[in-house]
Amino acid sequence: MAPGNLPVARPRLPSADDILPYLRRIDEARWYSNFGPLLTELELRLASRFTDGAVAATVVNATQALTLTLQAMDLPAGSLVATPSWTFVATAHAIAQAGLVPWFLDVDHASQMLDPALVRDRLASAPGQVSAVLPVAAHGAMPDVEAWLAFRDETGLAVLLDAAAAFDAARDARLPTVVSLHATKVLGLGEGGFLVTDDAALAFRVRRMTTYGFNGTREAQIAGTNAKLSEYTAAVGLAALDKWPADRLRFFLAAQHTRIALAMTPSVVLQPGWGSDWITSVCVVRLPEGAAQAATESLMAHGVETRRWWGHGCHRDAAFAGYPRTDLPVTEQLACSVIGLPFAIDLAREDVDRVVQALRAAPGIA
């Protein structure tokens, strides 16, 4: 990227000074991996953000957390998992890696998420046995958890929520939920993710699967892999949690600058609640249908980087072309009207103004 260009993302993890006290604890304990005291503390602190009875199981990344949780649910091999095509490809990769088949459904136009009623209506015409649903928290916005709990009770299907970008908004552990801790997220460890659930047995099974199926002995009791976090990663996570209350306020402040700057551009629509009720590390906007390409070109001409975070939907990627899907008209509409704008914890007001000016120069934006 040429000098002077404005990047779409500028992640910031805890500083060396923030992490140092935790590194000294590692030096003193000489415990470097395999669920040491720092990782145990991290999991407890993550779980404490959720409803009573929540248990957190950390995993090397959120994609593996999704994969291992699906495997831990003991779903029939080769069965269908209903999921949106409008998501990051990690969702579909995780389903396939778990030995299951993604079945791509369309999303609600307003929320950009699966609607439980729509999924229920589609079940009768499914091209095979459906064993689970994997809804996605769109760009950090949470779905209606109560509605998904009711869906689970009514249908008997497993439901696992991909809330990769929803660290701030996710609070309810009654629905098994996977959150990403990647460097690009609002609370980043570099790499990492976690499952949170009020089903202690499910969390325990995922935990064993991250360490070769061991449980206090050297005997592999269930099939597993090596997907655990080290004490060093936990040190970064603990330092990030220490800073989170202040960092959250800084993210909200940056979001308010963006909201104010876009107030006079009604054709550029932010996600409901973004920057007022919840925050995430990306700024995703909806433009008039079909305007995404022209807006992208205008932004790039002004030295402003943008991103189609979810591309044109998973069904458009070669890796998933052969998987079953319903008609996807809303997904197709979103793919040509949704873009990501530059956003960061320290995004300056003048950079926000630069973004908005570049957007307004695009055809169809007013």
Side-chain angles (χ1 to χ4, degrees), residues 35-53:
F35 312 111
L38 268 63
L39 186 64
T40 300
E41 181 180 342
L42 175 65
E43 291 182 336
L44 289 172
R45 289 179 64 177
L46 291 171
S48 71
R49 296 173 46 81
F50 290 79
T51 46
D52 290 344

Side-chain angles (χ1 to χ4, degrees), residues 17 22 26 56 95 136 146 158 170 210 218 261:
D17 288 340
Y22 293 105
I26 295 173
I95 294 170
V136 177
E146 293 289 350
T210 67
R218 301 287 292 177

Side-chain angles (χ1 to χ4, degrees), residues 240-331:
L241 284 174
D242 292 341
K243 292 285 188 178
W244 173 241
D247 284 351
R248 185 173 187 265
L249 291 176
R250 293 189 65 190
F251 272 113
F252 269 104
L253 180 60
Q256 288 305 308
H257 294 161
T258 301
R259 291 172 64 89
I260 292 169
L262 288 172
M264 302 304 292
T265 312
S267 62
V268 180
V269 181
L270 292 160
Q271 288 183 273
W274 182 86
S276 58
D277 302 326
W278 55 274
I279 196 63
T280 189
S281 58
V282 296
C283 176
V284 173
V285 297
R286 188 180 305 196
L287 309 175
E289 186 175 343
Q293 186 58 38
T296 298
E297 292 171 1
S298 179
L299 288 163
M300 293 303 291
H302 287 79
V304 177
E305 184 180 336
T306 184
R307 190 69 52 86
R308 306 281 189 92
W309 291 113
W310 290 352
H312 289 83
C314 289
H315 69 289
R316 293 288 188 180
D317 283 33
F320 309 115
Y323 288 116
R325 64 178 187 261
T326 63
D327 292 336
L328 301 167
V330 175
T331 299

Side-chain angles (χ1 to χ4, degrees), residues 6-264:
L6 181 61
V8 72
R10 291 182 64 223
R12 193 209 65 178
L13 269 64
S15 69
D17 288 340
D18 295 333
I19 302 169
L20 184 57
Y22 293 105
L23 296 181
R24 286 178 171 151
R25 284 176 55 183
I26 295 173
D27 290 344
E28 292 169 3
R30 295 175 66 176
W31 194 335
Y32 306 106
S33 190
N34 295 349
F35 312 111
L38 268 63
L39 186 64
T40 300
E41 181 180 342
L42 175 65
E43 291 182 336
L44 289 172
R45 289 179 64 177
L46 291 171
S48 71
R49 296 173 46 81
F50 290 79
T51 46
D52 290 344
V55 181
T58 53
V59 185
V60 68
N61 57 58
T63 307
Q64 287 302 305
L66 289 171
T67 299
L68 295 179
T69 303
L70 289 169
Q71 292 175 334
M73 288 176 164
D74 283 332
L75 306 172
S79 60
L80 302 179
V81 176
T83 198
S85 176
W86 188 238
T87 183
F88 183 54
V89 293
T91 310
H93 277 305
I95 294 170
Q97 288 172 5
L100 304 163
V101 177
W103 178 37
F104 295 123
L105 302 185
D106 212 359
V107 292
D108 173 74
H109 191 271
S111 69
Q112 302 187 46
M113 291 184 266
L114 283 186
D115 180 270
L118 181 149
V119 177
R120 190 183 299 108
D121 291 342
R122 291 288 189 179
L123 290 177
S125 58
Q129 179 188 7
V130 180
S131 61
V133 182
L134 209 169
V136 177
H139 312 294
M142 282 292 287
D144 185 341
V145 172
E146 293 289 350
W148 281 111
L149 291 170
F151 172 93
R152 185 177 67 181
D153 292 342
E154 292 168 12
T155 64
L157 297 177
V159 179
L160 171 63
L161 175 61
D162 179 350
F167 175 82
D168 184 52
R171 289 289 187 276
D172 198 329
R174 294 176 298 164
L175 197 67
T177 298
V178 168
V179 179
S180 174
L181 299 171
H182 187 266
T184 56
K185 300 300 187 285
V186 284
L187 190 117
L189 281 62
E191 288 283 358
F194 66 97
L195 164 72
V196 63
T197 177
D198 64 359
D199 184 345
L202 178 64
F204 179 64
R205 185 171 175 83
V206 170
R207 161 63 70 86
R208 283 195 296 167
M209 294 173 76
T210 67
T211 182
Y212 305 109
F214 292 163
N215 178 29
T217 71
R218 301 287 292 177
E219 178 188 358
Q221 298 177 356
I222 59 174
T225 185
N226 181 11
K228 57 188 179 293
L229 293 182
S230 74
E231 288 289 272
Y232 290 99
T233 304
V236 179
L238 290 169
L241 284 174
D242 292 341
K243 292 285 188 178
W244 173 241
D247 284 351
R248 185 173 187 265
L249 291 176
R250 293 189 65 190
F251 272 113
F252 269 104
L253 180 60
Q256 288 305 308
H257 294 161
T258 301
R259 291 172 64 89
I260 292 169
L262 288 172
M264 302 304 292

